[in-house]
Amino acid sequence: MKELVEVIAKALVDYPDEVIVTEKIEGRNIRVQLHVAPSDMGKVIGRQGRIARAIRSVVKAASAQEDYRIDVDID
């Protein structure tokens, strides 16, 4: 899932070199943290959080076959 979030985020931002994605596994939960440049934060979140919600939906759909709960945090 880390790679999927990274590809999506790098396609959205102006500074793809500053995209950092970390993944932490805690039992049956996977927490994916996305860090972007401060100037790109609005592009990743979108109006009223629509893009952030879309990223989370894509990740949830991609992980439907696995037996994990995945949370995407945008910092």
Side-chain angles (χ1 to χ4, degrees), residues 41-61:
M41 189 63 74
K43 293 179 181 174
V44 174
I45 295 174
R47 289 187 183 188
Q48 297 179 353
R50 289 183 182 158
I51 294 176
R53 238 184 341 262
I55 292 171
R56 290 182 179 115
S57 295
V58 168
V59 170
K60 184 177 179 181

Side-chain angles (χ1 to χ4, degrees), residues 10-52:
K10 284 186 177 184
L12 293 172
V13 299
D14 288 334
Y15 303 103
D17 295 337
E18 295 188 29
V19 172
I20 300 170
V21 180
T22 58
E23 185 176 68
K24 186 187 297 184
I25 299 173
E26 302 165 342
R28 292 203 161 294
N29 294 334
I30 298 176
R31 180 172 304 273
V32 179
Q33 293 184 325
L34 172 63
H35 300 278
V36 296
S39 61
D40 289 330
M41 189 63 74
K43 293 179 181 174
V44 174
I45 295 174
R47 289 187 183 188
Q48 297 179 353
R50 289 183 182 158
I51 294 176

